[in-house]
C-alpha cells in the first residue's frame, strides 16, 4: 500500500513492478484515494540479469498519458537487506536522466603518431562495438545512436554514430579518432611521454540516445572512462550504462509520499544434480525414520526460525519424488500425540498442518479453478450488496435483500464445493485418507473426529481461504475492491461453518460471535447441509479410484494476452502483428480474438515439435518466441521477459513427451527467401541450432528438485549453530540419561530418541560441509572465468 501521495487530492492510482525499465507486472487501479491499498502479491522467476528492481506509482488518466508520481528503486545488491520483512520506502522523483538500462561494448586505444615535421603526438581510438538490453520506448524497440566525447577542462570533442532502427541490441561497429595532445606543444623525443596533468583530466564519455525524429531525443544512459587507464595499452570491456551524475539532484525534494513493500528475494546457485545426492537421499528417507522427530525433514523444521522457510522446499522436494504422503502421515501422528481434545484437532500451525497447507496450494491449483473460478468471477464482476451487519449498513440499504443476495452466493459456492469431489486431486485424497484414519485411531470414541480432521483442512484452510483471497490463488487477477472483499469475507465465514457441520456435536450456531451471522444461519438449519458435507468429506478422503479429471476435461495451464505474427498469409510489416488471447491446456494451444471467444487457431499439444526463443533481429521485437508445429512456425511476442519465460517453460513442460520433438531449430525467421540465422534458402531445411533440452519433468506441478535441495542446504548452512546446539543436546542426553542439563539451550527442540537424532544431525553436518566446499570451488572457478569487464560481468560505474 501507499500513503500521503501527491497531488494532495483524491486520485486514481496504480503501481507497476519493473526490472530496470521493463514493466513486468502492474496492480489494479485504486480509485479516489490518497493512501491506496493494493494488497497484491506477485511471484516470478527473474529470467535475465538486472541492476534495479523498481516500483512506480502512477496517477491514472483517461484522456492523457498516465503520470508517474514517484518511484522506489532498489539495487540488486541491496535486495538482501530488505528481504522477508515489510519496509516503508519514501518515493523518489522520476527523472529521465536516471532511467537507464543496458550495457555497451567499447574498445579504447592510444596511438603514437609522427607528424610530417617529425614531431610526436598521441591519438585516441574509440571503437564502439555494440549495445545489449536497451529499454523499450513506449512499448516499442528504440532507435538508438551513440555520441562519443573526449572531455577535459577546456575541450569537449564529440562524435556521433549512425541511428540504428528498431532494435534494443544495436550493432554500431564504428571507430572514432581524437587528438589527445597537439604536436606543436611537444619537441622531438625518442620515446613520447604523456604529461601527467593532461592525461589525468581527460576522460572518454559515451552517451546512448533514442532518436526522437520530430520529438526530443531520450537519454538512455552513459559511461565514463578516464584516459589515464589506457597508458600505452589498449582497453576493451563491457560497461553497464549509468544514470547521469546530476540525475535526480535538480529534482524537487518535496515529499511525494511513501510505499510499503514486502520483498522476498532469493538467489540460488544450483550445482549439478549429483552434488545433492546425499542430501536428497537423507531427506527422502525421512518418513522411514523412527521416530519421525529424528528424521532430516523434521530436524529442518526444528532449526529454522520460521517453519514456513523449511516447509516450502521440503514439501516440493518430497512431492517431486512421490514421498510426501507418508511423511505427512508420520508428522501428523506426532502432532496428534500432543492433541488432548478432539475439537482442537489440526487447528495449530504445526509442521503437519503447514505441510498439508502447502501441498493443497501446489496440487490443488486446477481443482480450485474448475470449482470456484466461475462463481468467484460472477461475484466480482456483477456484485450484489450483501452487507448484513447492522453497524455497517449504509443509508438506504435493505437488510432483507442483502441477506437474500448473500444466501444466493453462499448456496452457489457451497453447491459447487460439495459437487466437486470427482475433481479433487488423488494426492489430496490420499493425504485426507491418512489424516482421517489417524484421527479415528487417536480418538476412537468420537464418531465426528474423522470428519473434522478433513474439514479443518479442505474447508477452513483451502476453500474458505481461496474465497476470501481469490487473487492469491490466481482465481482473480487483482485484489477485489472493498465492497466485494467484504462480501467474500461473509461468504468465507459461512463456508467455514457449513463445512464444520458434518463434524460438530455441539450447537452449530455457537461458532458465531456475531449476532447477525446467527440470524442469517437460522435459515440453514437443515439436515441436507450436514449430509452433503459428510458425503463430500467421505468422497475426498476415500482411496477408491476416481475418474481421472485429465481424461474427462483438459487441464487449464495458462492464458493471457500476447501478440502473434500472421503465418505468412500477408505482407511483412507492422500490421502482421495482432493482439490475441492465448490459452494453453493439457490438450491444445489456442489463440482467440478476445477472451471467452471461440478459438481462431488451434494446435493440438501432440503436434508441437519445439518451443524456442526467437532472435530479436528477426522482426526487431523483444521477448519473442516460436512454436514449431506441422505448419509454418507460430511467432509470438510476449509483453515482457518474465511473461515470455513463463510461456516458454509452460509449453515445454506440456510437450516434453511428444515423440516427434525436434533436435534442431532455426533461432531466426525465414524472410525474403532465406533463414536469417544460417542464410539457407530452403524453408524446410533442418535447423542450425540445437533445441533446448533438460526441461522440468512435471507438467502440472512446476518443481526443480535440485533447486529445492539447494534451498534446503542453504537453510541448514544458515542454521548451523542451531544444528550444533541440537547435536550437543542429544549427546548430553545420551551420555547422562538423567535430568536434562542446561535445558534453556534445547528445551524448544523435540528430542524423542537422542541417539537416532544425533546420528541424523551428524550426517546433515557432514553433507553441509561437503556442499560448502563444492560451492567455494564453484565461486573461485566463476570469479576466475567471468573476468570483470566481460559481457557476463560488465563494469559498473567509472573505471579506476
Amino acid at each position: 500500500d501507499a500513503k500521503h501521495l501527491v497531488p494532495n487530492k483524491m486520485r486514481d492510482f496504480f503501481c507497476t513492478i519493473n526490472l530496470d525499465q521493463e514493466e513486468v507486472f502492474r496492480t489494479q487501479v485504486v480509485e479516489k484515494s490518497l493512501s491506496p491499498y493494493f494488497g497484491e502479491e506477485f511471484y516470478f522467476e527473474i529470467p535475465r540479469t538486472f541492476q534495479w528492481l523498481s516500483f512506480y506509482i502512477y496517477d491514472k488518466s483517461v484522456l492523457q498519458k498516465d503520470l508517474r508520481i514517484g518511484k522506489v528503486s532498489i539495487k540488486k545488491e541491496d535486495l538482501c537487506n530488505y528481504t522477508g520483512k515489510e519496509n516503508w520506502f519514501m518515493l523518489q522523483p522520476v527523472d529521465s536522466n536516471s532511467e537507464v538500462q543496458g550495457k555497451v561494448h567499447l574498445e579504447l586505444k592510444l596511438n603514437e603518431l609522427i607528424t610530417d615535421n617529425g614531431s610526436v603526438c598521441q591519438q585516441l581510438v574509440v571503437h564502439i562495438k555494440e549495445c545489449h538490453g536497451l529499454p523499450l520506448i513506449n512499448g516499442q524497440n528504440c532507435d538508438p545512436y551513440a555520441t562519443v566525447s573526449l572531455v577535459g577542462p577546456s575541450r569537449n570533442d564529440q562524435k556521433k554514430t549512425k541511428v540504428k532502427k528498431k532494435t534494443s541490441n544495436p550493432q554500431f561497429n564504428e571507430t572514432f579518432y581524437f587528438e589527445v595532445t597537439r604536436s606543436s606543444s611537444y619537441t622531438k623525443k625518442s620515446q613520447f611521454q604523456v604529461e601527467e596533468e593532461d592525461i589525468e583530466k581527460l576522460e572518454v564519455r559515451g552517451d546512448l540516445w533514442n532518436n526522437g525524429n520530430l520529438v526530443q531525443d531520450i537519454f538512455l544512459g552513459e559511461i565514463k572512462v578516464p584516459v589515464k587507464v589506457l597508458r600505452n595499452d589498449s582497453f576493451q570491456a563491457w560497461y553497464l550504462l549509468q544514470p547521469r551524475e546530476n540525475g535526480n539532484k535538480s529534482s524537487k525534494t518535496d515529499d511525494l509520499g511513501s510505499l510499503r513493500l514486502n520483498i522476498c528475494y532469493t538467489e540460488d546457485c544450483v550445482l549439478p544434480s549429483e552434488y545433492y545426492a546425499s542430501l536428497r537421499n537423507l531427506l527422502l528417507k525421512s518418513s522411514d525414520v523412527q521416530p519421525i522427530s529424528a528424521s532430516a525433514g523434521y530436524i529442518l523444521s526444528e532449526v529454522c526460525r520460521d517453519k514456513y522457510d523449511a516447509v516450502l522446499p521440503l514439501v516440493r522436494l518430497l512431492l517431486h519424488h512421490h514421498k510426501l504422503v507418508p511423511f505427512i502421515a508420520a508428522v501428523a501422528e506426532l502432532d496428534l500425540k500432543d492433541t488432548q481434545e478432539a475439537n482442537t484437532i489440526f487447528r495449530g500451525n504445526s509442521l503437519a498442518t503447514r505441510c498439508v497447507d502447502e501441498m493443497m496450494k501446489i496440487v490443488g491449483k486446477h481443482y480450485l479453478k474448475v470449482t470456484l473460478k466461475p462463481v468467484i468471477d460472477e461475484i466480482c464482476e456483477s456484485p450484489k450488496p450483501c452487507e448484513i451487519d447492522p453497524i455497517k449498513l449504509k443509508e438506504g440499504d435493505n437488510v432483507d435483500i442483502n441477506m437474500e443476495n448473500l444466501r444466493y452466493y453462499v448456496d452457489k459456492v457451497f453447491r459447487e464445493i460439495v459437487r466437486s469431489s470427482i475433481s479433487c486431486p488423488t494426492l489430496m485424497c490420499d493425504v485426507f485418507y491418512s489424516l482421517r484414519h489417524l484421527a479415528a485411531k487417536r480418538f476412537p470414541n468420537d464418531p465426528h473426529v474423522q470428519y473434522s480432521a478433513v474439514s479443518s483442512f479442505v474447508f477452513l484452510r483451502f476453500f474458505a481461504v481461496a474465497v476470501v483471497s481469490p487473487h492469491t490463488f490466481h482465481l482473480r487477477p487483482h485484489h477485489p475492491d472493498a465492497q466485494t472483499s467484504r462480501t467474500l469475507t461473509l461468504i468465507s465465514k459461512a463456508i467455514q461453518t457449513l463445512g464444520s457441520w458434518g463434524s460438530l456435536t455441539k450447537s452449530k450456531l455457537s461458532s458465531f460471535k456475531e449476532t447477525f451471522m446467527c440470524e442469517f444461519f437460522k435459515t440453514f438449519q437443515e439436515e441436507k447441509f450436514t449430509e452433503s458435507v459428510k458425503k463430500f468429506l467421505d468422497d475426498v478422503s476415500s482411496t477408491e479410484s476416481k475418474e481421472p479429471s485429465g481424461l474427462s476435461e483438459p487441464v487449464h495451464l495458462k492464458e493471457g494476452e500476447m501478440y502473434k505474427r500472421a503465418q505468412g498469409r500477408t505482407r511483412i510489416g507492422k500490421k502482421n502483428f495482432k493482439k490475441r488471447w492465448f490459452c494453453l491446456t493439457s490438450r491444445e494451444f489456442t489463440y482467440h480474438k478476445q477472451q471467452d471467444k471461440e478459438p481462431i487457431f488451434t494446435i493440438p499439444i501432440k503436434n508441437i515439435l519445439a518451443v524456442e526463443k526467437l532472435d530479436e533481429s528477426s522482426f526487431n521485437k523483444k521477448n519473442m518466441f516460436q512454436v514449431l508445429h506441422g505448419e509454418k512456425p507460430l511467432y509470438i511476442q510476449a509483453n515482457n521477459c518474465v511473461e515470455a519465460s513463463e510461456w516458454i517453460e509452460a509449453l515445454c513442460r506440456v510437450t516434453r513427451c511428444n515423440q516427434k520433438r525436434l533436435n534442431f531449430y532455426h533461432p531466426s525467421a525465414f524472410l525474403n527467401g532465406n533463414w536469417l540465422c544460417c542464410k539457407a534458402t530452403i524453408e524446410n531445411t533442418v535447423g542450425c541450432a540445437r533445441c533446448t533440452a533438460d526441461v522440468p519433468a512435471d507438467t502440472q506441478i512446476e518443481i526443480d528438485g535440485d533447486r529445492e535441495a539447494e534451498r534446503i542446504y542453504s537453510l541448514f548452512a544458515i542454521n548451523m549453530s542451531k544444528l550444533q546446539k541440537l547435536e550437543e543436546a542429544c549427546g548430553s542426553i545420551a551420555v547422562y540419561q538423567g535430568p536434562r542439563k542446561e535445558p534453556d539451550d534445547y528445551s524448544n527442540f523435540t528430542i524423542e530418541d537422542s541417539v537416532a537424532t544425533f546420528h541424523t544431525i551428524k550426517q546433515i553436518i557432514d553433507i553441509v560441509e561437503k556442499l560448502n566446499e563444492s560451492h567455494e570451488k564453484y565461486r573461485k572457478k566463476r570469479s576466475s572465468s567471468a573476468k570483470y569487464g566481460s559481457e557476463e560481468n560488465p563494469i559498473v560505474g567509472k573505471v579506476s
Side-chain angles (χ1 to χ4, degrees):
D1 59 346
K3 63 182 180 183
H4 310 316
L5 299 179
V6 295
N8 293 315
K9 56 182 178 179
M10 307 295 265
R11 303 300 288 264
D12 301 340
F13 294 106
F14 66 92
C15 180
T16 66
I17 303 174
N18 293 50
L19 288 174
D20 297 321
Q21 293 304 294
E22 183 177 16
E23 180 185 322
V24 291
F25 290 106
R26 85 169 43 189
T27 68
Q28 65 176 349
V29 177
V30 178
E31 297 179 348
K32 296 181 175 56
S33 176
L34 276 177
S35 298
Y37 177 76
F38 301 109
E40 299 197 35
E41 292 182 11
F42 300 95
Y43 172 83
F44 59 101
E45 299 285 334
I46 299 174
R48 63 170 177 82
T49 57
F50 69 102
Q51 289 190 71
W52 299 86
L53 178 67
S54 299
F55 303 82
Y56 291 83
I57 294 288
Y58 282 82
D59 179 359
K60 179 73 175 172
S61 176
V62 178
L63 301 176
Q64 298 176 329
K65 188 178 178 181
D66 298 330
L67 176 66
R68 288 194 287 191
I69 299 294
K71 69 174 182 178
V72 172
S73 289
I74 305 171
K75 266 191 173 179
K76 178 186 173 183
E77 295 78 19
D78 296 334
L79 282 170
C80 57
N81 300 329
Y82 303 106
T83 191
K85 54 189 179 229
E86 287 187 357
N87 292 279
W88 280 101
F89 297 88
M90 296 296 294
L91 289 178
Q92 301 300 315
V94 179
D95 173 12
S96 60
N97 289 333
S98 68
E99 307 295 296
V100 302
Q101 172 187 314
K103 54 190 174 185
V104 61
H105 192 191
L106 272 190
E107 183 178 9
L108 307 173
K109 190 174 182 181
L110 271 176
N111 285 339
E112 231 176 55
L113 299 178
I114 300 176
T115 62
D116 293 340
N117 61 8
S119 61
V120 181
C121 67
Q122 278 205 324
Q123 182 186 58
L124 173 68
V125 183
V126 181
H127 180 193
I128 180 164
K129 295 186 173 185
E130 59 184 319
C131 289
H132 278 182
L134 297 181
L136 298 177
I137 304 295
N138 297 325
Q140 299 293 323
N141 279 335
C142 54
D143 295 338
Y145 69 90
T147 60
V148 180
S149 309
L150 182 62
V151 181
S154 57
R155 65 189 293 178
N156 188 353
D157 302 337
Q158 187 180 92
K159 309 200 179 203
K160 176 182 169 184
T161 68
K162 295 175 182 176
V163 175
K164 299 295 180 181
K165 291 288 187 181
K166 301 298 177 197
T167 178
S168 297
N169 302 318
Q171 302 282 327
F172 292 113
N173 281 322
E174 294 192 41
T175 305
F176 302 106
Y177 301 90
F178 297 90
E179 188 182 53
V180 176
T181 53
R182 299 185 186 281
S183 56
S184 58
S185 60
Y186 291 91
T187 56
K188 286 184 182 180
K189 293 183 181 179
S190 58
Q191 185 176 1
F192 181 79
Q193 295 291 327
V194 179
E195 291 187 62
E196 290 297 325
E197 60 269 26
D198 290 336
I199 206 78
E200 288 288 339
K201 296 171 184 176
L202 290 176
E203 68 178 9
V204 178
R205 193 173 79 199
D207 293 83
L208 268 292
W209 298 85
N210 177 62
N211 182 40
N213 291 322
L214 301 176
V215 296
Q216 187 176 0
D217 293 354
I218 297 173
F219 175 75
L220 300 178
E222 70 175 13
I223 61 160
K224 294 181 179 180
V225 185
V227 175
K228 66 180 180 181
V229 302
L230 302 177
R231 297 300 177 185
N232 297 317
D233 199 6
S234 64
F235 190 86
Q236 181 179 183
W238 283 87
Y239 302 82
L240 284 176
L241 290 171
Q242 299 298 309
R244 278 189 177 154
E245 287 189 349
N246 64 345
N248 274 341
K249 289 183 181 176
S250 61
S251 302
K252 293 180 181 178
T253 56
D254 295 346
D255 185 2
L256 300 173
S258 51
L259 183 65
R260 181 166 58 166
L261 302 168
N262 190 338
I263 301 168
C264 292
Y265 174 76
T266 57
E267 191 171 315
D268 299 319
C269 172
V270 184
L271 300 172
S273 187
E274 59 267 21
Y275 285 85
Y276 301 106
S278 298
L279 178 61
R280 186 167 53 241
N281 293 337
L282 187 63
L283 289 161
L284 295 180
K285 287 191 293 186
S286 290
S287 58
D288 301 325
V289 175
Q290 293 291 337
I292 189 67
S293 59
S295 68
Y298 195 91
I299 290 169
L300 175 66
S301 71
E302 287 281 272
V303 298
C304 288
R305 187 179 67 177
D306 186 348
K307 271 191 172 58
Y308 180 76
D309 291 341
V311 166
L312 184 58
L314 180 62
V315 166
R316 291 169 71 86
L317 182 71
L318 295 174
L319 186 58
H320 187 59
H321 293 280
H322 311 292
K323 293 283 188 179
L324 182 60
V325 178
F327 180 77
I328 287 178
V331 293
E333 190 170 15
L334 180 62
D335 205 14
L336 285 169
K337 282 184 183 178
D338 297 326
T339 306
Q340 302 304 318
E341 295 182 23
N343 61 359
T344 61
I345 193 168
F346 299 131
R347 291 298 171 96
N349 277 325
S350 65
L351 176 60
T353 58
R354 291 203 171 194
C355 283
V356 178
D357 285 350
E358 202 55 47
M359 177 275 298
M360 291 190 298
K361 282 182 188 174
I362 297 169
V363 177
K365 277 183 184 176
H366 175 65
Y367 179 34
L368 277 177
K369 276 191 174 180
V370 298
T371 306
L372 290 183
K373 193 173 190 316
V375 65
I376 295 292
D377 284 343
E378 179 188 339
I379 295 166
C380 293
E381 290 167 12
S382 307
K384 299 176 182 179
C386 293
E387 185 56 72
I388 57 173
D389 184 351
I391 298 172
K392 295 186 178 181
L393 285 171
K394 296 176 184 176
E395 190 176 344
D397 282 354
N398 186 318
V399 70
D400 293 329
I401 293 176
N402 288 7
M403 195 173 285
E404 282 181 23
N405 293 338
L406 183 59
R407 175 64 194 258
Y408 166 77
Y409 284 147
V410 170
D411 277 343
K412 195 160 189 178
V413 172
F414 179 79
R415 190 165 57 248
E416 292 298 330
I417 291 172
V418 295
R419 288 178 179 175
S420 70
S421 59
I422 192 72
S423 302
C424 186
T426 306
L427 189 80
M428 285 176 65
C429 295
D430 291 344
V431 169
F432 295 152
Y433 175 82
S434 296
L435 297 177
R436 177 176 182 165
H437 284 267
L438 286 169
K441 180 181 172 184
R442 175 69 178 85
F443 298 100
N445 299 322
D446 190 328
H448 303 282
V449 74
Q450 59 177 321
Y451 293 111
S452 60
V454 179
S455 68
S456 62
F457 287 107
V458 74
F459 278 101
L460 271 66
R461 293 172 176 263
F462 187 58
F463 284 121
V465 178
V467 167
V468 83
S469 302
H471 57 292
T472 307
F473 291 83
H474 307 291
L475 299 176
R476 295 291 299 168
H478 297 295
H479 189 281
D481 60 54
Q483 182 180 325
T484 308
S485 187
R486 173 64 179 163
T487 298
L488 293 172
T489 300
L490 292 170
I491 296 169
S492 178
K493 284 184 177 186
I495 292 302
Q496 288 182 53
T497 299
L498 290 173
S500 65
W501 276 13
S503 57
L504 288 178
T505 54
K506 57 185 179 180
S507 169
K508 296 160 187 171
L509 295 181
S510 64
S511 59
F512 282 115
K513 296 175 183 176
E514 304 99 333
T515 309
F516 63 88
M517 288 301 283
C518 290
E519 291 297 318
F520 174 62
F521 261 88
K522 284 179 180 176
T523 60
F524 282 84
Q525 295 280 350
E526 300 173 28
E527 192 64 31
K528 68 173 186 178
F529 283 97
T530 304
E531 291 306 314
S532 296
V533 170
K534 283 188 173 182
K535 184 179 184 308
F536 170 73
L537 295 175
D538 282 334
D539 289 344
V540 296
S541 58
S542 166
T543 57
E544 292 177 13
S545 60
K546 296 182 173 64
E547 178 190 353
S549 59
L551 297 177
S552 59
E553 58 177 291
V555 178
H556 177 96
L557 298 173
K558 191 169 179 60
E559 63 181 352
E561 204 168 57
M562 294 186 290
Y563 295 84
K564 68 96 191 175
R565 180 180 179 267
Q567 296 178 283
R569 299 184 182 95
T570 57
R571 279 188 309 113
I572 295 169
K574 284 185 181 178
K575 291 181 181 177
N576 278 37
F577 281 87
K578 293 185 178 179
K579 189 184 289 187
R580 292 289 182 257
W581 185 265
F582 288 81
C583 184
L584 174 65
T585 72
S586 55
R587 286 187 190 168
E588 59 192 21
F589 181 48
T590 59
Y591 63 77
H592 316 242
K593 200 161 188 177
Q594 292 175 329
Q595 188 179 4
D596 300 326
K597 298 286 185 184
E598 289 298 310
I600 301 173
F601 190 73
T602 300
I603 306 174
I605 293 300
K606 63 181 181 182
N607 291 355
I608 295 179
L609 308 176
V611 182
E612 299 289 344
K613 290 182 179 179
L614 186 71
D615 283 353
E616 181 193 319
S617 57
S618 300
F619 302 105
N620 285 328
K621 291 181 182 292
K622 294 183 81 168
N623 305 317
M624 288 203 68
F625 63 95
Q626 52 184 318
V627 179
L628 307 179
H629 57 110
E631 300 178 30
K632 294 187 177 184
L634 176 61
Y635 298 128
I636 301 170
Q637 184 187 25
N639 294 295
N640 56 63
C641 63
V642 172
E643 187 177 82
S645 176
E646 288 177 349
W647 272 104
I648 293 169
E649 190 177 346
L651 283 159
C652 284
R653 280 198 315 274
V654 77
T655 59
R656 77 196 188 286
C657 295
N658 287 359
Q659 294 180 351
K660 295 182 180 179
R661 278 184 69 93
L662 297 176
N663 293 320
F664 293 89
Y665 78 106
H666 290 284
S668 289
F670 186 82
L671 296 175
N672 302 323
N674 66 73
W675 289 100
L676 299 181
C677 42
C678 58
K679 306 305 177 187
T681 55
I682 301 172
E683 189 169 1
N684 61 356
T685 191
V686 176
C688 56
R690 183 169 287 279
C691 287
T692 307
D694 303 323
V695 296
D698 201 313
T699 303
Q700 294 181 45
I701 303 171
E702 305 168 27
I703 295 175
D704 180 340
D706 293 336
R707 186 167 187 179
E708 304 308 331
E710 168 62 28
R711 286 178 179 171
I712 291 170
Y713 148 72
S714 300
L715 290 170
F716 276 135
I718 291 166
N719 293 286
M720 181 57 75
S721 61
K722 284 189 180 179
L723 272 173
Q724 291 167 341
K725 193 175 284 187
L726 186 55
E727 184 184 35
E728 290 170 13
C730 291
S732 173
I733 294 167
V735 170
Y736 294 106
Q737 289 295 323
R740 292 191 176 188
K741 197 175 181 181
E742 300 173 6
D744 289 344
D745 285 345
Y746 52 85
S747 57
N748 292 327
F749 296 135
T750 302
I751 305 175
E752 292 180 291
D753 184 328
S754 57
V755 175
T757 306
F758 181 89
H759 178 67
T760 304
I761 293 170
K762 194 171 186 317
Q763 287 179 283
I764 293 169
I765 292 174
D766 289 345
I767 289 168
V768 170
E769 286 174 351
K770 285 179 183 175
L771 280 168
N772 284 342
E773 291 174 10
S774 301
H775 275 281
E776 189 57 36
K777 285 179 184 175
Y778 174 78
R779 273 191 287 271
K780 286 180 181 177
K781 183 180 176 183
R782 186 181 179 188
S783 61
S784 60
S785 62
K787 182 182 173 185
Y788 191 48
S790 65
E791 185 175 1
E792 298 80 20
N793 189 17
I795 294 169
V796 182
K798 271 192 180 183
V799 181
S800 58

